[in-house]
């Protein structure tokens, strides 16, 4: 045996490496050789090289290839082993060299460490000396500055005493501020007696200046020469000194000046004077404008601009005027009328607006921060633009453009707040005015002509826009008169007249057949169904069903669109009222009842239109039961289907044209009309008897023709072709499918009653015994009692109630209650199989072009 490195070929080596090692080897030495694969299998490899017996003829070539590969691998191993021997010797030499270099590097580090310690000691000695010098310099500088400040304080106190005696306020203003600053810098030395004494002297000088300046102003404005007083430079400079002194001094001077200027006004317009009444507010405004102009020409220049004396004079005038007007209205409460109140409010609000613009940024509490602008527009929208409607419809509650940039000014409402307790007078006037408008609108609606409209026009009656324009103006004016806390009273007035408008204007405009049903005062959505049921019952029970003329149809459509407009505007009005009300009041404001009233009118209009078309289609549907259904052959669609198509084609386009601005409710009209016609057709199908198979086929043909007519209902007579909504299609198809299935049962051939019952339950699982009784009547079954008994047994068995006693079973079957069958025997043909006959019939109808493809 050949041995390599002391190992025999027969020795077994453990060459199963961990998975991580195998992956690492593959990443470093990637190989496609199958021998290098970790899951190499000898048998699989041999089978891959020799897949069949014929491939063994190449075994000599494969063996020669393996020998060459073994020889090449042995050479590579031998070369690697020899190279590893040389590497081991070179590695030992490199390791010795590295150890010598590390030892040398360590010695150098030790040397650097020693030198760094010595350097640190020297730096500490140097910085210690520098710190001592810096501290000495800082102490010396502080001492010099303190002595300088002390000297300045001594000289300043001495000079202030001299200037005070000579009333040289201009120099005092400059010097006093400097002395105060120096005294503040010496605040930490007040425990020293000399500094404390100087601080007391400064306080005494300030107190003396306060008394002296107040005496000078008192002498100037109240002395013997007060009437001939002219602004002086001395008092103007004194005001500069006052700005440095206690703020109370400035307040006293300003209050005294303002009181002096308003002394004459307080006497002229006292509560008992003739000029004090609301009708003479123009005189008050003129007095203020004249006084303000004179004051700014003469005395205003004497005061610093930061004092804002003219603005404070105007604010004091507003407060005094508010008090005097309140007193006058308390004394003459019965003389307060709307015209006088609105005139006084208008004049005073204009004066407030003028003062707000003139004294922008003024704040009575001396705050200098600018105030943000706040909109007072009660109808301003968020700006989404969703409220704009086409067709020229005006929406007055969409928002206005004006904003009040000084809503937080102290002049805002400074005078007009005195009118707030008398808003009830304004509300009474608004109530009266709206009552007159409702009467006017009611009269106009009686004579209003609902003429033909173009596609671009809106058929909303004009009085709807006028009403909400009045509401908008009233709300804006009311918010000027009073705060949002008073909106509760206005809301009640608006609610009252919205109800009157819905009942006395819109509902009375409907044709008399629909308008004479009494509408409850407190209508809610639950009662709405009852009211509409009364309308339809009244029509159906009448001897001669009412027919609406074209003018009546236009009238009903116009009222419908107007009610939709009013419902939307009422919702917007509610939003505006809540937005302008405080949080405590907003939750109690609701116009949902009024919206329900408009929605009730709207629903009543739809019921009118549906019943109008339904009445036209009733004679053809009634004629179904008068026809002979024992036919010998089928033909085209029946005459009654053609009549229904003609009535729909003549009535629906006019409705669609007049509801072009209200597609949503035209769609609802189509839904209700189609549902009504489908329901009546199904009921009439049950009454078509006696009937044979050909008659059933003719009815099936008519059913498909009616389906095609109803699916074209939304676009009948229109040049624009649209696909009907999927919900509408499902409703029509599902409704007529019931008639088709009934006819499928009726036209079938059965050997026994049991076969008839099985097919009926399978095709119509949700029907009742009443429906089955109608089916056997259509088939003219002779032994009806036996058929009904068979149905009861199978239905009860399918419903899981077959265990009832005979007496209970009989009682259960004669109650005419719905017995729903949910499942039947699985061996019977499925409903889908039966519907295949309907599909074949549809293809036949399409081939005859009787229904649309």
């Amino acid at each position: 045996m050949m041995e390599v490195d002391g190992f025999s070929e027969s020795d077994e080596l453990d060459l199963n490496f961990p998975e991580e090692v195998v992956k690492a080897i593959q990443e470093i030495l990637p190989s496609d050789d199958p021998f290098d694969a970790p899951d190499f299998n000898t048998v699989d490899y041999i089978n891959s090289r020799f897949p069949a017996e014929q491939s063994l003829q190449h075994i000599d070539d494969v063996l020669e290839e393996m020998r060459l590969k073994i020889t090449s691998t042995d050479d590579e191993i031998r070369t690697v082993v020899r190279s590893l021997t040389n590497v081991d010797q070179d590695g030992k030499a490199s390791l010795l060299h590295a150890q010598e270099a590390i030892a040398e590097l360590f010695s150098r580090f030790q040397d650097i460490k020693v030198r760094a310690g010595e350097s640190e000691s020297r730096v500490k000695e140097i910085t210690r000396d520098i710190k001592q010098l810096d501290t000495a310099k800082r102490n010396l500088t502080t001492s010099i500055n303190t002595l300088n400040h002390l000297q300045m304080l001594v000289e300043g106190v001495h000079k202030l005493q001299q200037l005070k005696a000579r009333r040289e306020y201009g120099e005092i203003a400059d010097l006093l501020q400097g002395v105060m600053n120096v005294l503040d810098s010496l605040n930490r030395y007040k425990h020293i007696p000399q500094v404390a004494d100087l601080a007391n002297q400064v306080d005494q000088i300030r107190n003396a200046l306060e008394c002296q300046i107040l005496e000078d102003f008192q002498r100037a404005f109240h002395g013997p020469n007060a009437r001939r007083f002219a602004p002086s430079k001395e008092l103007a400079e004194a005001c500069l000194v006052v700005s440095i002194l206690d703020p109370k001094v400035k307040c006293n001077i300003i209050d005294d000046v303002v009181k002096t200027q308003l002394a004459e006004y307080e006497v002229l317009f006292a509560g008992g004077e003739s000029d004090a009444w609301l009708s003479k507010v123009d005189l008050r405004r003129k007095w203020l404008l004249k006084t303000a102009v004179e004051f700014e020409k003469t005395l205003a220049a004497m005061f610093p601009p930061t004092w804002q004396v003219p603005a404070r004079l105007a604010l004091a005038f507003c407060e005094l005027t508010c008090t005097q007007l309140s007193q006058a209205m308390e004394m003459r409460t019965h003389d307060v009328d709307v015209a006088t109140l609105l005139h006084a409010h208008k004049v005073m609000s204009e004066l407030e607006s003028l003062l707000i613009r003139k004294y922008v940024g003024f704040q009575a509490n001396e705050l200098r921060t600018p105030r943000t602008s706040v909109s007072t527009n009660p109808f301003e929208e968020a700006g989404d633009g969703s409220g704009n409607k086409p067709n020229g419809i005006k929406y007055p509650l969409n928002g206005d453009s004006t904003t009040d940039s000084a809503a937080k000014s102290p002049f805002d409402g400074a005078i007009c707040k005195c009118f707030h307790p008398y808003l009830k007078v304004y509300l009474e006037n608004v109530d009266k005015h709206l009552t007159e408008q409702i009467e006017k609108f009611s009269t106009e609606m009686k004579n209003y002509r609902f003429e033909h409209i173009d596609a671009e026009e809106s058929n909303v009656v004009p009085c709807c826009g006028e009403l909400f324009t009045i509401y908008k103006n009233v709300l804006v004016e009311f918010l000027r008169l009073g705060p949002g806390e008073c909106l509760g009273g206005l809301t009640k007035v608006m609610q009252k007249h919205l109800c009157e408008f819905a009942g006395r204007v819109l509902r009375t405009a409907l044709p008399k057949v629909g308008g004479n049903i009494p509408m409850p005062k407190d209508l809610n959505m639950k009662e709405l169904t009852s009211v509409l049921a009364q309308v339809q019952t009244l029509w159906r029970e009448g001897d001669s069903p009412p027919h609406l003329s074209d003018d009546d149809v236009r009238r009903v459509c116009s009222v419908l669109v107007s009610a939709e407009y009013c419902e939307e505007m009422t919702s917007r009005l509610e939003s505006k009222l809540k937005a302008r009300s405080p949080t405590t009041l907003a939750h109690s404001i609701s116009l949902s009842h009024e919206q329900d009233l408009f929605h009730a009118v709207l629903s009543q209009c739809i019921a009118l239109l549906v019943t109008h078309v339904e009445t036209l289609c009733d004679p053809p549907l009634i004629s179904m039961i008068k026809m002979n259904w024992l036919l010998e052959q089928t033909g085209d669609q029946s005459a009654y289907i053609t009549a229904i198509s003609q009535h729909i084609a003549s009535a629906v386009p006019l409705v669609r044209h007049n509801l072009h601005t209200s597609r949503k409710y035209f769609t609802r009209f189509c839904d209700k009309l189609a549902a009504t016609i489908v329901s009546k057709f199904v009921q009439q199908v049950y009454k078509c008897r006696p009937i044979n198979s050909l008659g059933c086929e003719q009815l099936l043909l008519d059913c498909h023709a009616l389906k095609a007519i109803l699916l074209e209902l939304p676009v009948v007579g229109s040049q624009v072709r649209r696909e009907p909504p999927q919900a509408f299609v499902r409703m029509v198809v599902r409704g007529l499918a019931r008639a088709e299935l009934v006819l499928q049962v009726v036209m079938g051939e059965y050997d026994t009653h049991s076969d008839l019952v099985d097919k009926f339950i399978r095709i119509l699982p949700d029907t009742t015994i009443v429906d089955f009784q109608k089916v056997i009547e259509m088939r003219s079954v002779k032994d009806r009692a036996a058929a009904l008994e068979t149905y009861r047994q199978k239905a009860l068995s399918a419903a899981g109630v077959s265990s009832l006693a005979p007496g209970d079973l009989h009682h259960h079957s004669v109650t005419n209650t719905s017995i729903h069958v949910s499942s039947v025997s699985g061996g019977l043909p499925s409903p889908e199989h039966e519907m295949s006959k309907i599909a074949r019939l549809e293809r036949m109808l399409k081939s005859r072009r009787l229904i649309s493809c």
Side-chain angles (χ1 to χ4, degrees):
M1 288 186 184
M2 182 179 63
E3 294 185 359
V4 179
D5 296 333
F7 289 96
S8 174
E9 289 183 352
S10 61
D11 294 338
E12 294 183 359
L13 299 178
D14 185 10
L15 299 180
N16 294 324
F17 300 108
E19 184 179 356
E20 294 80 3
V21 176
V22 174
K23 290 182 178 179
I25 293 174
Q26 290 178 350
E27 292 177 359
I28 298 174
L29 300 173
S31 175
D32 298 332
D33 193 341
F35 290 102
D36 295 333
D39 55 348
F40 175 76
N41 189 289
T42 306
V43 177
D44 293 341
Y45 180 76
I46 293 173
N47 290 333
S48 64
R49 294 299 299 264
F50 305 102
E53 185 177 357
Q54 291 78 8
S55 60
L56 292 175
Q57 61 184 348
H58 302 292
I59 190 169
D60 293 333
D61 297 336
V62 174
L63 289 175
E64 183 63 25
E65 180 185 347
M66 293 295 104
R67 291 191 189 100
L68 292 175
K69 192 167 186 178
I70 291 171
T71 304
S72 175
T73 304
D74 290 340
D75 292 341
E76 291 179 3
I77 293 174
R78 190 179 298 109
T79 303
V80 171
V81 171
R82 291 174 180 175
S83 63
L84 288 177
T85 304
N86 297 332
V87 169
D88 184 48
Q89 295 176 357
D90 295 340
K92 290 180 179 180
S94 299
L95 180 60
L96 292 176
H97 182 69
Q99 290 176 349
E100 293 175 359
I102 292 173
E104 182 180 357
L105 182 61
F106 180 75
S107 62
R108 291 183 181 181
F109 282 160
Q110 291 293 333
D111 186 34
I112 292 172
K113 182 177 180 181
V114 173
R115 293 182 181 180
E118 296 176 355
S119 300
E120 183 179 1
S121 301
R122 293 176 184 176
V123 169
K124 287 183 178 179
E125 293 177 358
I126 295 172
T127 54
R128 188 185 304 114
D129 297 338
I130 293 174
K131 288 181 179 179
Q132 292 178 354
L133 292 174
D134 289 342
T135 302
K137 179 182 178 181
R138 185 167 54 252
N139 292 336
L140 181 60
T141 302
T142 303
S143 301
I144 293 173
N145 290 336
T146 303
L147 291 174
N148 289 335
H149 288 166
L150 187 59
Q151 182 180 3
M152 291 169 59
L153 182 60
V154 173
E155 294 176 354
V157 169
H158 179 69
K159 190 172 183 179
L160 281 175
Q161 292 174 346
Q162 295 177 351
L163 295 175
K164 180 178 71 68
R166 296 196 298 267
R167 282 186 164 78
E168 296 180 4
Y169 295 121
E171 296 184 14
I172 291 177
D174 296 334
L175 182 59
L176 182 59
Q177 186 62 55
V179 170
M180 296 298 298
N181 294 337
V182 171
L183 187 59
D184 290 339
S185 65
L186 296 176
N187 201 17
R188 55 180 176 174
Y189 301 112
K190 282 190 175 181
H191 61 281
I192 301 175
Q194 290 80 357
V195 177
D197 181 59
L198 290 172
N200 292 333
Q201 293 183 34
V202 172
D203 291 340
Q204 293 175 4
I205 293 173
R206 291 183 61 186
N207 295 333
L209 285 172
E210 291 176 2
C211 298
Q212 184 173 305
I213 292 174
L214 289 174
E215 290 176 1
D216 293 344
F217 273 96
Q218 182 72 17
R219 190 181 310 110
F221 287 98
H222 302 284
N225 298 324
R227 292 183 176 274
R228 297 188 298 274
F229 170 74
S232 62
K233 181 180 179 181
E234 179 180 327
L235 290 181
E237 294 175 345
C239 292
L240 299 177
V241 177
V242 171
S243 299
I244 306 173
L245 301 177
D246 193 339
K248 294 182 180 179
V249 180
K250 179 177 69 174
C251 294
N252 292 336
I253 293 175
I254 294 175
D255 292 343
D256 186 61
V257 171
V258 170
K259 185 177 181 180
T260 302
Q261 295 296 315
L262 295 178
E264 180 185 9
Y265 175 80
E266 188 174 3
V267 175
L268 291 176
F269 298 94
E273 300 296 331
S274 60
D275 294 340
W277 187 234
L278 303 180
S279 58
K280 300 295 183 68
V281 290
D282 292 313
L283 298 177
R284 296 176 180 269
R285 181 180 60 182
K286 292 179 181 179
W287 186 94
L288 174 64
L289 297 179
K290 178 182 177 181
T291 303
V293 170
E294 293 179 355
F295 183 82
E296 290 187 357
K297 288 181 179 179
T298 56
L299 298 179
M302 187 174 65
F303 301 99
T306 55
W307 288 21
Q308 297 180 308
V309 177
R312 297 183 184 280
L313 174 61
L315 183 60
F317 166 84
C318 294
E319 294 173 350
L320 179 59
T321 301
C322 180
T323 303
Q324 290 183 339
L325 290 177
S326 298
Q327 294 174 353
M329 286 187 286
E330 288 179 2
M331 296 171 60
R332 303 171 59 179
T333 304
H334 299 290
D335 296 336
V336 179
D337 55 29
V338 175
T340 305
L341 185 67
L342 292 178
H343 169 71
H345 184 274
K346 179 181 178 182
V347 174
M348 292 294 98
S349 62
E350 290 177 353
L351 179 59
E352 290 177 357
S353 301
L354 175 63
L355 296 176
I356 290 172
R357 293 192 300 270
K358 182 175 179 60
Y359 302 113
V360 176
F362 167 70
Q363 295 297 325
N365 57 0
E366 294 188 354
L367 292 177
R368 298 292 181 261
T369 56
R371 305 302 293 263
T372 57
S373 62
V374 178
S375 172
T376 58
N377 177 12
F379 298 128
E380 185 177 8
E381 289 285 1
D384 56 356
S386 61
N388 297 328
K389 290 269 182 127
N391 307 313
I393 305 178
K394 294 180 65 178
Y395 284 75
L397 298 183
N398 267 357
D400 284 341
S401 58
T402 58
T403 55
D404 188 357
S405 60
K408 297 301 183 180
S409 172
F411 295 105
D412 186 16
I415 302 176
C416 293
K417 61 184 179 182
C418 66
F419 302 122
H420 295 174
Y422 302 92
L423 289 176
K424 60 181 180 181
V425 178
Y426 176 75
L427 291 178
E428 293 173 356
N429 181 72
V430 169
D431 188 13
K432 180 180 178 182
H433 175 64
L434 289 176
T435 301
E436 296 173 354
Q437 288 296 321
I438 297 298
E439 292 289 344
K440 173 187 173 184
F441 294 153
S442 178
T443 304
E444 291 177 352
M445 287 294 289
K446 293 178 181 178
N447 303 322
Y448 186 75
R449 297 186 62 186
F450 296 88
E451 299 177 348
H452 177 77
I453 60 169
D454 296 330
E456 292 79 14
E457 296 179 353
S458 169
N459 51 352
V460 176
V461 292
C463 59
C464 296
E466 295 178 16
L467 174 68
F468 286 97
T469 300
I470 294 173
Y471 271 30
K472 167 191 170 181
N473 296 332
V474 167
L475 181 57
V476 172
E477 190 173 48
F478 184 85
L479 289 172
R480 291 174 182 167
L481 286 172
E485 289 80 0
C486 305
L487 278 176
L490 180 63
T491 302
K492 293 180 180 178
V493 174
M494 289 182 170
Q495 289 175 325
K496 170 186 174 183
H497 295 287
L498 284 174
C499 296
E500 292 181 352
F501 186 82
R504 298 179 56 188
V505 178
L506 293 183
R507 287 196 71 251
T508 54
L510 294 173
K512 292 302 179 182
V513 175
N516 55 10
I517 298 298
M519 185 72 74
K521 293 183 178 180
D522 297 327
L523 181 70
N524 54 39
M525 295 309 295
K526 292 182 178 180
E527 296 171 339
L528 175 59
T529 304
S530 175
V531 173
L532 298 181
Q534 291 182 39
V535 177
Q536 296 180 352
T537 302
L538 176 66
W539 292 333
R540 293 192 178 106
E541 293 178 354
D543 296 333
S544 57
H547 293 279
L548 299 179
S549 64
D550 290 350
D551 290 339
D552 289 337
V553 171
R554 282 191 286 267
R555 174 185 294 270
V556 174
C557 291
S558 182
V559 172
L560 188 152
V561 177
S562 301
E564 179 191 10
Y565 170 84
C566 292
E567 183 181 10
E568 180 179 351
M569 295 306 298
T570 303
S571 176
R572 296 189 183 187
L573 177 62
E574 178 182 349
S575 300
K576 299 302 175 185
L577 291 171
K578 289 184 176 181
R580 303 303 299 170
S581 302
T583 307
T584 55
L585 180 63
H587 71 279
S588 63
I589 293 179
S590 174
L591 299 182
S592 59
H593 173 68
E594 289 69 29
Q595 295 179 52
D596 290 344
L597 287 179
F598 288 118
H599 193 79
V601 176
L602 190 150
S603 300
Q604 187 174 350
C605 293
I606 294 177
L608 273 168
L609 296 173
V610 170
T611 307
H612 162 63
V613 183
E614 175 190 352
T615 304
L616 294 176
C617 297
D618 277 346
L621 290 172
I622 293 175
S623 67
M624 290 175 59
I625 61 177
K626 300 178 181 179
M627 297 175 60
N628 180 18
W629 293 103
L630 299 174
L631 303 180
E632 296 181 357
Q633 64 179 1
T634 59
D636 295 337
Q637 65 183 27
S638 301
Y640 72 91
I641 294 294
T642 304
I644 292 174
S645 177
Q646 292 174 351
H647 289 312
I648 290 177
S650 63
V652 173
L654 180 61
V655 176
R656 182 180 60 247
H657 175 71
N658 285 274
L659 294 181
H660 69 277
T661 60
S662 183
R663 295 291 182 187
K664 175 175 65 175
Y665 292 106
F666 174 70
T667 302
R668 184 181 298 182
F669 159 76
C670 293
D671 292 342
K672 290 183 177 296
L673 177 60
T676 302
I677 295 176
V678 168
S679 176
K680 285 194 171 185
F681 177 78
V682 173
Q683 295 301 320
Q684 293 300 102
V685 166
Y686 281 120
K687 299 177 183 179
C688 295
R689 55 182 183 264
I691 189 171
N692 58 10
S693 298
L694 292 178
C696 291
E697 290 182 3
Q698 181 63 43
L699 274 177
L700 282 173
L701 188 150
D702 294 341
C703 183
H704 284 276
L706 180 62
K707 183 191 303 182
I709 294 171
L710 293 180
L711 291 179
E712 293 291 322
L713 180 64
V715 294
V716 60
S718 174
Q719 297 179 355
V720 180
R721 310 304 293 178
R722 295 191 182 94
E723 292 294 330
Q726 291 299 319
F728 177 78
V729 174
R730 287 194 297 269
M731 183 268 294
V732 172
V733 172
R734 187 180 302 158
L736 291 176
R738 185 179 185 87
E740 295 171 350
L741 295 174
V742 169
L743 293 173
Q744 283 290 314
V745 174
V746 174
M747 68 188 296
E749 296 295 336
Y750 311 102
D751 296 332
T752 62
H753 294 322
S754 178
D755 296 339
L756 172 63
V757 171
D758 288 341
K759 186 170 183 179
F760 179 82
I761 293 177
R762 182 178 67 253
I763 294 180
L764 298 167
D766 58 343
T767 52
T768 65
I769 192 172
V770 177
D771 298 319
F772 180 75
Q773 187 173 359
K774 292 178 181 179
V775 168
I776 61 177
E777 289 175 357
M778 292 179 67
R779 288 183 56 85
S780 300
V781 176
K782 297 180 179 180
D783 191 2
R784 297 181 183 178
L788 288 174
E789 185 62 28
T790 302
Y791 174 80
R792 292 190 186 99
Q793 293 176 359
K794 289 183 175 291
L796 291 173
S797 175
V801 294
S802 58
S803 60
L804 293 175
D808 296 335
L809 179 62
H810 175 72
H811 175 73
H812 185 74
S813 62
V814 299
T815 55
N816 289 334
T817 57
S818 298
I819 304 178
H820 297 284
V821 182
S822 59
S823 62
V824 294
S825 174
L828 297 175
S830 65
E832 288 76 7
H833 177 71
E834 297 295 337
M835 290 298 294
S836 64
K837 297 181 180 179
I838 299 177
R840 290 196 298 271
L841 180 60
E842 286 183 351
R843 288 194 294 271
M844 179 189 71
L845 295 175
K846 291 177 181 178
S847 64
R848 292 188 180 186
R849 301 182 182 276
L850 295 178
I851 63 175
S852 62
C853 300

